[in-house]
């Protein structure tokens, strides 16, 4: 393998060729650096959450998506609100079962969306595709469950913040939770892949900062102070730019995938704080 110094000494022509090859490879593979779907079989919803249902709906481009609907627990009073949950870039809906189960115990229904390419769903993930997936989930709640927009709370986790931010611009909900939000996917890529010209190569951008300046619904921003995947400073920029900031919840000493960030009391309280009267 040629070291960096040796490569530079070979001259501009070879250097240019190397950048071109690297660039074309990065262009072809960049989505593999963004999306990490779990291809393990997903169990039936009821196997993990009592009363949960396996559901499906169809996107505008013809994909059938499998998801879970988790109603409020039968022994509690329903809060008449439903969370549409868009997860991060890894795993599938089964990984979010503990949070949905806890919300159910608080009388809150949840639709656990799995994107195309995730959780046994057909298709390949992309920013445009995930937007279609979220819209299909929204219309499932409207048409099949009779949920009014003002009785919905969108919950975006990490990459899912970009998904629900776009959805909130198109179909405003009653409230919005952004858990570990980033400003723009390019800025995240610059942190984790500094040798890739992300500004030129990334087709999927998820411009969260731009979106929150326009979103008018009450929004809660939640992030961990020790997050090394989406730095706290980046999430704080999103909070500062949010047009209708209900609150900011900062968890000291908590990282991106720590248990408290996945199903902690502060996270549940953030959702409950947006339930309309």
């Amino acid at each position: 393998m040629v070291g960096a110094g040796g490569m530079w000494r070979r001259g501009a022509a070879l250097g240019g060729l190397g950048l071109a090859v690297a660039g074309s490879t990065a262009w072809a593979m960049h989505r593999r650096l963004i999306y990490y779907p779990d291809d393990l079989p997903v169990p039936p919803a009821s196997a993990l959450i009592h009363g949960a249902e396996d559901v499906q709906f169809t996107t505008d481009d013809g994909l059938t998506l499998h998801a879970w609907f988790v109603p409020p627990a039968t022994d509690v009073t329903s809060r008449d609100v439903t969370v549409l949950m868009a997860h991060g870039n890894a795993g599938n809906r089964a990984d979010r079962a503990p949070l949905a189960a806890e919300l159910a115990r608080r009388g809150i229904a949840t639709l656990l969306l799995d994107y195309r390419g995730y959780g046994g769903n057909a298709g390949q993930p992309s920013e445009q595709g995930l937007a279609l997936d979220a819209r299909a989930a929204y219309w499932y709640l409207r048409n099949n469950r009779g949920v009014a927009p003002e009785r919905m709370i969108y919950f975006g986790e990490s990459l899912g913040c970009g998904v629900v931010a776009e959805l909130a611009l198109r179909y405003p909900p009653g409230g919005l939770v952004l858990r570990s939000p980033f400003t723009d996917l390019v800025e995240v890529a610059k942190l984790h892949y500094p040798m890739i010209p992300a500004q030129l190569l990334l087709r999927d951008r998820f411009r969260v900062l731009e979106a929150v300046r326009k979103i008018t619904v009450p929004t809660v921003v939640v992030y961990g102070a020790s997050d090394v995947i989406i730095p706290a400073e980046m999430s704080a920029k999103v909070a500062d730019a949010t047009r209708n900031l209900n609150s900011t919840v900062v968890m000291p000493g908590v990282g991106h995938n720590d248990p408290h960030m996945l199903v902690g009391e502060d996270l549940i309280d953030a959702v409950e704080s947006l339930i309309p009267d």
Side-chain angles (χ1 to χ4, degrees):
M1 184 172 66
V2 179
M7 184 177 292
W8 280 114
R9 285 195 293 271
R10 292 187 179 203
L14 186 56
L17 176 62
L19 286 174
V21 172
S24 63
T25 301
W27 177 268
M29 298 185 63
H30 82 284
R31 283 184 173 138
R32 295 185 183 182
L33 304 178
I34 301 172
Y35 307 104
Y36 295 88
D38 190 336
D39 57 3
L40 293 174
V42 178
S46 59
L48 294 185
I49 308 173
H50 179 71
E53 305 172 32
D54 292 286
V55 301
Q56 63 183 44
F57 38 83
T58 303
T59 65
D60 284 345
D61 59 345
L63 286 179
T64 298
L65 299 181
H66 300 274
W68 288 355
F69 182 78
V70 184
T74 56
D75 58 346
V76 299
T77 302
S78 172
R79 308 289 290 278
D80 188 27
V81 69
T82 300
V83 172
L84 194 168
M85 187 176 299
H87 61 67
N89 69 332
N92 58 45
R93 57 193 180 276
D95 301 314
R96 282 73 189 181
L99 179 55
E102 184 57 38
L103 290 172
R105 285 190 282 270
R106 306 288 184 99
I108 301 168
T110 303
L111 179 64
L112 288 174
L113 167 65
D114 247 337
Y115 312 125
R116 58 189 64 205
Y118 286 75
N121 289 330
Q124 297 295 320
S126 67
E127 181 176 11
Q128 182 180 16
L130 268 57
L132 293 175
D133 299 345
R135 293 171 203 171
Y138 169 84
W139 284 113
Y140 169 81
L141 289 176
R142 290 291 310 276
N143 296 332
N144 295 70
R145 298 288 172 172
V147 182
E150 63 270 17
R151 306 307 300 183
M152 293 186 201
I153 295 174
Y154 299 164
F155 184 107
E157 171 199 303
S158 193
L159 182 77
C161 292
V163 177
V164 296
E166 193 279 338
L167 186 65
L169 286 172
R170 180 174 290 262
Y171 302 123
L176 178 65
V177 177
L178 300 177
R179 187 282 235 189
S180 308
F182 53 91
T183 53
D184 182 309
L185 203 58
V186 165
E187 298 306 311
V188 180
K190 288 178 180 177
L191 289 174
H192 296 288
Y193 306 105
M195 299 303 293
I196 295 176
Q199 187 73 31
L200 299 176
L201 295 177
L202 281 189
R203 286 173 284 182
D204 296 354
R205 305 294 291 269
F206 296 102
R207 296 178 173 91
V208 177
L209 189 70
E210 181 179 313
V212 296
R213 290 176 173 143
K214 303 173 185 176
I215 294 170
T216 59
V217 304
T219 302
V220 176
V221 175
V222 183
Y223 59 92
S226 298
D227 196 327
V228 297
I229 296 176
I230 306 296
E233 295 80 7
M234 186 175 290
S235 294
K237 286 182 181 179
V238 174
D240 290 342
T242 297
R243 181 171 176 177
N244 188 358
L245 184 66
N246 183 77
S247 63
T248 301
V249 179
V250 184
M251 301 184 188
V254 174
H256 195 80
N257 293 314
D258 288 353
H260 197 65
M261 183 61 78
L262 300 176
V263 67
E265 192 74 19
D266 291 340
L267 203 60
I268 305 299
D269 291 344
V271 175
E272 289 193 308
S273 72
L274 292 172
I275 297 177
D277 295 331

